[in-house]
Amino acid sequence: MPPDGRTEENMGIALGAGIAVLVGLGAGIGIGNATGKSVEGVARNPESTGKITTTLVIGSAFAEATAIYGLLVSILLIIEFADMIDTSCSLELPP
């Protein structure tokens, strides 16, 4: 336990950063679904390849932007509260 008794605060910071990173999971699933549906659309109607590709790229950019926002929030949480996180516990390996 940290000397100042901030175990719960440390856990909250770590949990918040972890949840913020999980935004990338949703973005990955969304981009995967969109790519699969665009391939199906091109297979069914090859003449509309340009329109489908343009829409896919724009949609993927928006999905990736949300993933980057989640990563940014998690990094900001860790940086902002770095002075609160207990770093006095060190792992010592046996010789």
Short mmCIF file of all heavy atoms in Angstrom, two decimals, residues 36-92:
data_model
loop_
_atom_site.label_atom_id
_atom_site.label_comp_id
_atom_site.label_asym_id
_atom_site.label_seq_id
_atom_site.Cartn_x
_atom_site.Cartn_y
_atom_site.Cartn_z
N GLY A 36 -15.70 -5.39 -44.78
CA GLY A 36 -16.40 -6.57 -45.29
C GLY A 36 -17.61 -6.21 -46.13
O GLY A 36 -17.83 -6.79 -47.20
N LYS A 37 -18.38 -5.24 -45.66
CA LYS A 37 -19.57 -4.83 -46.42
C LYS A 37 -19.19 -4.12 -47.72
O LYS A 37 -19.89 -4.26 -48.73
CB LYS A 37 -20.45 -3.91 -45.57
CG LYS A 37 -21.03 -4.58 -44.35
CD LYS A 37 -21.94 -5.73 -44.74
CE LYS A 37 -22.50 -6.38 -43.49
NZ LYS A 37 -23.38 -7.52 -43.82
N SER A 38 -18.09 -3.38 -47.71
CA SER A 38 -17.69 -2.72 -48.95
C SER A 38 -17.21 -3.74 -49.98
O SER A 38 -17.46 -3.59 -51.18
CB SER A 38 -16.60 -1.68 -48.68
OG SER A 38 -15.40 -2.31 -48.30
N VAL A 39 -16.53 -4.79 -49.52
CA VAL A 39 -16.12 -5.86 -50.45
C VAL A 39 -17.35 -6.55 -51.03
O VAL A 39 -17.39 -6.85 -52.23
CB VAL A 39 -15.19 -6.86 -49.74
CG1 VAL A 39 -14.97 -8.10 -50.57
CG2 VAL A 39 -13.87 -6.21 -49.41
N GLU A 40 -18.34 -6.79 -50.19
CA GLU A 40 -19.59 -7.38 -50.70
C GLU A 40 -20.25 -6.46 -51.72
O GLU A 40 -20.76 -6.92 -52.75
CB GLU A 40 -20.56 -7.63 -49.55
CG GLU A 40 -20.19 -8.77 -48.65
CD GLU A 40 -21.17 -8.94 -47.51
OE1 GLU A 40 -22.29 -8.37 -47.58
OE2 GLU A 40 -20.82 -9.63 -46.55
N GLY A 41 -20.25 -5.16 -51.44
CA GLY A 41 -20.87 -4.20 -52.36
C GLY A 41 -20.15 -4.16 -53.70
O GLY A 41 -20.80 -4.10 -54.76
N VAL A 42 -18.83 -4.19 -53.68
CA VAL A 42 -18.07 -4.18 -54.93
C VAL A 42 -18.28 -5.50 -55.68
O VAL A 42 -18.37 -5.51 -56.92
CB VAL A 42 -16.57 -3.93 -54.64
CG1 VAL A 42 -15.72 -4.18 -55.87
CG2 VAL A 42 -16.36 -2.53 -54.13
N ALA A 43 -18.39 -6.60 -54.96
CA ALA A 43 -18.62 -7.88 -55.62
C ALA A 43 -19.99 -7.92 -56.30
O ALA A 43 -20.15 -8.51 -57.37
CB ALA A 43 -18.50 -9.02 -54.60
N ARG A 44 -20.97 -7.27 -55.68
CA ARG A 44 -22.32 -7.27 -56.26
C ARG A 44 -22.48 -6.24 -57.38
O ARG A 44 -23.24 -6.46 -58.32
CB ARG A 44 -23.35 -6.97 -55.18
CG ARG A 44 -23.50 -8.08 -54.19
CD ARG A 44 -24.54 -7.76 -53.17
NE ARG A 44 -24.62 -8.84 -52.20
CZ ARG A 44 -25.32 -8.80 -51.10
NH1 ARG A 44 -26.00 -7.69 -50.81
NH2 ARG A 44 -25.36 -9.81 -50.28
N ASN A 45 -21.77 -5.12 -57.27
CA ASN A 45 -21.91 -4.06 -58.25
C ASN A 45 -20.54 -3.44 -58.53
O ASN A 45 -20.18 -2.42 -57.95
CB ASN A 45 -22.88 -3.00 -57.71
CG ASN A 45 -23.26 -1.99 -58.75
OD1 ASN A 45 -22.87 -2.11 -59.91
ND2 ASN A 45 -24.00 -0.97 -58.34
N PRO A 46 -19.76 -4.04 -59.42
CA PRO A 46 -18.40 -3.57 -59.67
C PRO A 46 -18.33 -2.15 -60.25
O PRO A 46 -17.31 -1.49 -60.14
CB PRO A 46 -17.84 -4.57 -60.68
CG PRO A 46 -18.72 -5.77 -60.59
CD PRO A 46 -20.05 -5.28 -60.14
N GLU A 47 -19.41 -1.66 -60.85
CA GLU A 47 -19.39 -0.32 -61.43
C GLU A 47 -19.31 0.77 -60.36
O GLU A 47 -18.87 1.89 -60.64
CB GLU A 47 -20.65 -0.09 -62.30
CG GLU A 47 -20.75 -0.97 -63.52
CD GLU A 47 -21.40 -2.31 -63.21
OE1 GLU A 47 -22.21 -2.37 -62.27
OE2 GLU A 47 -21.07 -3.29 -63.88
N SER A 48 -19.75 0.48 -59.17
CA SER A 48 -19.76 1.50 -58.12
C SER A 48 -18.54 1.41 -57.21
O SER A 48 -18.58 1.86 -56.06
CB SER A 48 -21.05 1.37 -57.29
OG SER A 48 -21.06 0.13 -56.63
N THR A 49 -17.45 0.87 -57.69
CA THR A 49 -16.24 0.69 -56.88
C THR A 49 -15.71 2.02 -56.36
O THR A 49 -15.33 2.12 -55.19
CB THR A 49 -15.15 -0.01 -57.72
OG1 THR A 49 -15.64 -1.27 -58.16
CG2 THR A 49 -13.89 -0.21 -56.92
N GLY A 50 -15.70 3.05 -57.17
CA GLY A 50 -15.17 4.35 -56.75
C GLY A 50 -15.95 4.96 -55.61
O GLY A 50 -15.38 5.44 -54.63
N LYS A 51 -17.29 4.93 -55.72
CA LYS A 51 -18.12 5.49 -54.66
C LYS A 51 -17.98 4.72 -53.36
O LYS A 51 -17.90 5.29 -52.27
CB LYS A 51 -19.59 5.50 -55.08
CG LYS A 51 -19.95 6.54 -56.08
CD LYS A 51 -21.43 6.39 -56.43
CE LYS A 51 -22.06 7.74 -56.60
NZ LYS A 51 -23.48 7.63 -56.90
N ILE A 52 -17.96 3.39 -53.48
CA ILE A 52 -17.85 2.55 -52.28
C ILE A 52 -16.50 2.76 -51.61
O ILE A 52 -16.40 2.87 -50.39
CB ILE A 52 -18.08 1.07 -52.65
CG1 ILE A 52 -19.53 0.86 -53.06
CG2 ILE A 52 -17.70 0.16 -51.49
CD1 ILE A 52 -19.84 -0.53 -53.58
N THR A 53 -15.44 2.83 -52.39
CA THR A 53 -14.10 3.02 -51.83
C THR A 53 -13.99 4.37 -51.14
O THR A 53 -13.43 4.47 -50.04
CB THR A 53 -13.04 2.91 -52.94
OG1 THR A 53 -13.17 1.63 -53.57
CG2 THR A 53 -11.65 3.04 -52.36
N THR A 54 -14.54 5.41 -51.75
CA THR A 54 -14.49 6.74 -51.13
C THR A 54 -15.22 6.75 -49.80
O THR A 54 -14.72 7.26 -48.79
CB THR A 54 -15.12 7.78 -52.08
OG1 THR A 54 -14.42 7.75 -53.32
CG2 THR A 54 -15.06 9.16 -51.48
N THR A 55 -16.41 6.18 -49.78
CA THR A 55 -17.18 6.12 -48.54
C THR A 55 -16.46 5.29 -47.48
O THR A 55 -16.46 5.64 -46.30
CB THR A 55 -18.57 5.53 -48.81
OG1 THR A 55 -19.19 6.26 -49.87
CG2 THR A 55 -19.44 5.57 -47.59
N LEU A 56 -15.83 4.19 -47.89
CA LEU A 56 -15.09 3.35 -46.96
C LEU A 56 -13.92 4.10 -46.35
O LEU A 56 -13.69 4.03 -45.13
CB LEU A 56 -14.59 2.08 -47.66
CG LEU A 56 -13.66 1.20 -46.84
CD1 LEU A 56 -14.41 0.58 -45.67
CD2 LEU A 56 -13.03 0.14 -47.71
N VAL A 57 -13.19 4.83 -47.14
CA VAL A 57 -12.03 5.57 -46.63
C VAL A 57 -12.47 6.66 -45.66
O VAL A 57 -11.86 6.84 -44.59
CB VAL A 57 -11.20 6.15 -47.80
CG1 VAL A 57 -10.16 7.12 -47.31
CG2 VAL A 57 -10.54 5.03 -48.58
N ILE A 58 -13.53 7.37 -45.98
CA ILE A 58 -14.01 8.43 -45.08
C ILE A 58 -14.52 7.82 -43.77
O ILE A 58 -14.20 8.31 -42.67
CB ILE A 58 -15.11 9.25 -45.76
CG1 ILE A 58 -14.51 10.08 -46.90
CG2 ILE A 58 -15.81 10.16 -44.76
CD1 ILE A 58 -15.52 10.76 -47.78
N GLY A 59 -15.27 6.74 -43.85
CA GLY A 59 -15.76 6.08 -42.65
C GLY A 59 -14.65 5.51 -41.79
O GLY A 59 -14.68 5.59 -40.55
N SER A 60 -13.65 4.93 -42.44
CA SER A 60 -12.50 4.40 -41.69
C SER A 60 -11.72 5.51 -41.01
O SER A 60 -11.22 5.33 -39.89
CB SER A 60 -11.57 3.62 -42.62
OG SER A 60 -12.24 2.49 -43.14
N ALA A 61 -11.61 6.65 -41.66
CA ALA A 61 -10.91 7.77 -41.04
C ALA A 61 -11.64 8.25 -39.78
O ALA A 61 -11.01 8.54 -38.76
CB ALA A 61 -10.78 8.92 -42.04
N PHE A 62 -12.96 8.31 -39.84
CA PHE A 62 -13.73 8.70 -38.65
C PHE A 62 -13.57 7.68 -37.52
O PHE A 62 -13.44 8.03 -36.36
CB PHE A 62 -15.20 8.90 -38.98
CG PHE A 62 -15.49 10.18 -39.69
CD1 PHE A 62 -16.27 10.20 -40.83
CD2 PHE A 62 -14.98 11.38 -39.22
CE1 PHE A 62 -16.55 11.39 -41.49
CE2 PHE A 62 -15.25 12.58 -39.88
CZ PHE A 62 -16.03 12.58 -41.02
N ALA A 63 -13.61 6.39 -37.88
CA ALA A 63 -13.46 5.35 -36.86
C ALA A 63 -12.07 5.39 -36.23
O ALA A 63 -11.92 5.24 -35.02
CB ALA A 63 -13.73 3.98 -37.48
N GLU A 64 -11.07 5.60 -37.03
CA GLU A 64 -9.71 5.70 -36.49
C GLU A 64 -9.54 6.95 -35.65
O GLU A 64 -8.79 6.95 -34.68
CB GLU A 64 -8.68 5.69 -37.63
CG GLU A 64 -8.42 4.33 -38.19
CD GLU A 64 -7.85 3.36 -37.18
OE1 GLU A 64 -7.02 3.76 -36.34
OE2 GLU A 64 -8.26 2.20 -37.21
N ALA A 65 -10.24 8.01 -36.00
CA ALA A 65 -10.15 9.23 -35.20
C ALA A 65 -10.68 8.98 -33.79
O ALA A 65 -10.09 9.45 -32.81
CB ALA A 65 -10.93 10.36 -35.86
N THR A 66 -11.77 8.21 -33.67
CA THR A 66 -12.27 7.91 -32.33
C THR A 66 -11.29 7.06 -31.55
O THR A 66 -11.13 7.23 -30.34
CB THR A 66 -13.63 7.21 -32.39
OG1 THR A 66 -13.50 5.99 -33.12
CG2 THR A 66 -14.67 8.08 -33.04
N ALA A 67 -10.60 6.15 -32.24
CA ALA A 67 -9.59 5.32 -31.56
C ALA A 67 -8.42 6.18 -31.09
O ALA A 67 -7.90 5.99 -29.98
CB ALA A 67 -9.10 4.22 -32.49
N ILE A 68 -8.02 7.13 -31.90
CA ILE A 68 -6.93 8.02 -31.51
C ILE A 68 -7.35 8.90 -30.34
O ILE A 68 -6.55 9.16 -29.43
CB ILE A 68 -6.46 8.85 -32.72
CG1 ILE A 68 -5.78 7.92 -33.73
CG2 ILE A 68 -5.52 9.97 -32.29
CD1 ILE A 68 -5.48 8.56 -35.06
N TYR A 69 -8.61 9.33 -30.32
CA TYR A 69 -9.10 10.12 -29.18
C TYR A 69 -9.05 9.30 -27.90
O TYR A 69 -8.68 9.81 -26.84
CB TYR A 69 -10.52 10.61 -29.42
CG TYR A 69 -10.65 11.67 -30.49
CD1 TYR A 69 -11.79 11.76 -31.26
CD2 TYR A 69 -9.63 12.58 -30.72
CE1 TYR A 69 -11.91 12.72 -32.25
CE2 TYR A 69 -9.75 13.54 -31.70
CZ TYR A 69 -10.89 13.61 -32.46
OH TYR A 69 -11.01 14.55 -33.43
N GLY A 70 -9.43 8.05 -27.96
CA GLY A 70 -9.37 7.19 -26.79
C GLY A 70 -7.96 7.00 -26.30
O GLY A 70 -7.69 7.03 -25.09
N LEU A 71 -7.02 6.81 -27.22
CA LEU A 71 -5.62 6.68 -26.85
C LEU A 71 -5.11 7.97 -26.23
O LEU A 71 -4.39 7.96 -25.22
CB LEU A 71 -4.78 6.31 -28.08
CG LEU A 71 -3.28 6.17 -27.85
CD1 LEU A 71 -2.99 5.00 -26.92
CD2 LEU A 71 -2.57 5.98 -29.17
N LEU A 72 -5.50 9.09 -26.80
CA LEU A 72 -5.08 10.38 -26.27
C LEU A 72 -5.62 10.60 -24.86
O LEU A 72 -4.89 11.08 -23.97
CB LEU A 72 -5.56 11.50 -27.20
CG LEU A 72 -5.20 12.92 -26.80
CD1 LEU A 72 -3.69 13.11 -26.87
CD2 LEU A 72 -5.89 13.92 -27.70
N VAL A 73 -6.86 10.24 -24.62
CA VAL A 73 -7.44 10.39 -23.29
C VAL A 73 -6.69 9.52 -22.28
O VAL A 73 -6.39 9.96 -21.17
CB VAL A 73 -8.95 10.04 -23.31
CG1 VAL A 73 -9.50 9.86 -21.91
CG2 VAL A 73 -9.72 11.12 -24.04
N SER A 74 -6.38 8.29 -22.66
CA SER A 74 -5.66 7.42 -21.72
C SER A 74 -4.26 7.96 -21.42
O SER A 74 -3.81 7.93 -20.27
CB SER A 74 -5.57 6.00 -22.26
OG SER A 74 -4.74 5.95 -23.41
N ILE A 75 -3.57 8.48 -22.42
CA ILE A 75 -2.24 9.05 -22.19
C ILE A 75 -2.34 10.29 -21.31
O ILE A 75 -1.54 10.48 -20.39
CB ILE A 75 -1.55 9.36 -23.54
CG1 ILE A 75 -1.19 8.05 -24.26
CG2 ILE A 75 -0.30 10.21 -23.32
CD1 ILE A 75 -0.70 8.25 -25.66
N LEU A 76 -3.33 11.13 -21.57
CA LEU A 76 -3.51 12.32 -20.75
C LEU A 76 -3.86 11.97 -19.30
O LEU A 76 -3.41 12.64 -18.37
CB LEU A 76 -4.58 13.23 -21.34
CG LEU A 76 -4.18 13.98 -22.61
CD1 LEU A 76 -5.37 14.75 -23.17
CD2 LEU A 76 -3.03 14.91 -22.34
N LEU A 77 -4.67 10.92 -19.10
CA LEU A 77 -4.97 10.48 -17.74
C LEU A 77 -3.70 10.07 -17.01
O LEU A 77 -3.49 10.43 -15.85
CB LEU A 77 -5.95 9.31 -17.76
CG LEU A 77 -7.42 9.63 -17.85
CD1 LEU A 77 -8.22 8.35 -18.03
CD2 LEU A 77 -7.87 10.35 -16.61
N ILE A 78 -2.88 9.32 -17.68
CA ILE A 78 -1.65 8.84 -17.03
C ILE A 78 -0.70 10.00 -16.78
O ILE A 78 -0.10 10.10 -15.70
CB ILE A 78 -0.99 7.74 -17.89
CG1 ILE A 78 -1.88 6.50 -17.88
CG2 ILE A 78 0.39 7.41 -17.37
CD1 ILE A 78 -1.44 5.43 -18.84
N ILE A 79 -0.55 10.90 -17.74
CA ILE A 79 0.38 12.02 -17.56
C ILE A 79 -0.14 12.99 -16.49
O ILE A 79 0.63 13.43 -15.63
CB ILE A 79 0.59 12.76 -18.90
CG1 ILE A 79 1.40 11.88 -19.85
CG2 ILE A 79 1.29 14.09 -18.67
CD1 ILE A 79 1.51 12.45 -21.24
N GLU A 80 -1.42 13.30 -16.52
CA GLU A 80 -1.98 14.26 -15.58
C GLU A 80 -1.90 13.77 -14.14
O GLU A 80 -1.62 14.55 -13.23
CB GLU A 80 -3.44 14.56 -15.94
CG GLU A 80 -4.10 15.59 -15.08
CD GLU A 80 -3.53 16.98 -15.25
OE1 GLU A 80 -3.04 17.30 -16.35
OE2 GLU A 80 -3.58 17.75 -14.28
N PHE A 81 -2.12 12.49 -13.95
CA PHE A 81 -2.13 11.95 -12.60
C PHE A 81 -0.89 11.13 -12.28
O PHE A 81 -0.89 10.30 -11.38
CB PHE A 81 -3.38 11.10 -12.40
CG PHE A 81 -4.64 11.90 -12.50
CD1 PHE A 81 -5.45 11.79 -13.62
CD2 PHE A 81 -5.00 12.77 -11.49
CE1 PHE A 81 -6.61 12.53 -13.72
CE2 PHE A 81 -6.17 13.51 -11.60
CZ PHE A 81 -6.97 13.39 -12.70
N ALA A 82 0.19 11.37 -13.01
CA ALA A 82 1.42 10.60 -12.79
C ALA A 82 1.99 10.84 -11.41
O ALA A 82 2.58 9.93 -10.82
CB ALA A 82 2.46 10.95 -13.85
N ASP A 83 1.81 12.02 -10.86
CA ASP A 83 2.35 12.28 -9.53
C ASP A 83 1.55 11.55 -8.46
O ASP A 83 2.04 11.34 -7.36
CB ASP A 83 2.33 13.78 -9.24
CG ASP A 83 0.94 14.39 -9.35
OD1 ASP A 83 0.11 13.80 -10.06
OD2 ASP A 83 0.73 15.46 -8.74
N MET A 84 0.33 11.11 -8.77
CA MET A 84 -0.48 10.39 -7.79
C MET A 84 -0.22 8.90 -7.82
O MET A 84 -0.50 8.20 -6.85
CB MET A 84 -1.96 10.64 -8.07
CG MET A 84 -2.38 12.08 -7.86
SD MET A 84 -4.10 12.36 -8.33
CE MET A 84 -4.93 11.32 -7.15
N ILE A 85 0.30 8.39 -8.93
CA ILE A 85 0.52 6.95 -9.07
C ILE A 85 1.73 6.55 -8.25
O ILE A 85 2.78 7.19 -8.31
CB ILE A 85 0.69 6.56 -10.55
CG1 ILE A 85 -0.60 6.86 -11.30
CG2 ILE A 85 1.06 5.11 -10.69
CD1 ILE A 85 -0.51 6.64 -12.78
N ASP A 86 1.58 5.47 -7.49
CA ASP A 86 2.66 5.01 -6.63
C ASP A 86 3.70 4.28 -7.46
O ASP A 86 3.41 3.29 -8.11
CB ASP A 86 2.10 4.07 -5.57
CG ASP A 86 3.18 3.52 -4.67
OD1 ASP A 86 4.15 4.26 -4.41
OD2 ASP A 86 3.06 2.37 -4.24
N THR A 87 4.90 4.80 -7.45
CA THR A 87 6.01 4.15 -8.16
C THR A 87 7.07 3.68 -7.18
O THR A 87 8.16 3.29 -7.59
CB THR A 87 6.65 5.12 -9.17
OG1 THR A 87 7.08 6.29 -8.48
CG2 THR A 87 5.67 5.48 -10.26
N SER A 88 6.75 3.69 -5.90
CA SER A 88 7.74 3.27 -4.92
C SER A 88 7.89 1.75 -4.88
O SER A 88 8.89 1.25 -4.40
CB SER A 88 7.37 3.79 -3.53
OG SER A 88 6.16 3.23 -3.11
N CYS A 89 6.89 1.02 -5.34
CA CYS A 89 6.98 -0.44 -5.34
C CYS A 89 7.83 -0.86 -6.52
O CYS A 89 7.53 -0.53 -7.66
CB CYS A 89 5.60 -1.06 -5.45
SG CYS A 89 4.51 -0.62 -4.11
N SER A 90 8.88 -1.56 -6.25
CA SER A 90 9.76 -2.01 -7.33
C SER A 90 9.87 -3.52 -7.28
O SER A 90 9.80 -4.14 -6.23
CB SER A 90 11.15 -1.37 -7.20
OG SER A 90 11.74 -1.78 -5.99
N LEU A 91 10.02 -4.10 -8.44
CA LEU A 91 10.17 -5.52 -8.56
C LEU A 91 11.65 -5.86 -8.56
O LEU A 91 12.40 -5.39 -9.40
CB LEU A 91 9.52 -6.01 -9.87
CG LEU A 91 9.65 -7.49 -10.17
CD1 LEU A 91 8.86 -8.29 -9.13
CD2 LEU A 91 9.15 -7.80 -11.55
N GLU A 92 12.04 -6.66 -7.59
CA GLU A 92 13.44 -7.05 -7.49
C GLU A 92 13.55 -8.51 -7.86
O GLU A 92 12.89 -9.36 -7.27
CB GLU A 92 13.97 -6.81 -6.09
CG GLU A 92 13.99 -5.32 -5.72
CD GLU A 92 14.57 -5.10 -4.33
OE1 GLU A 92 15.20 -6.04 -3.80
OE2 GLU A 92 14.38 -4.01 -3.80
#
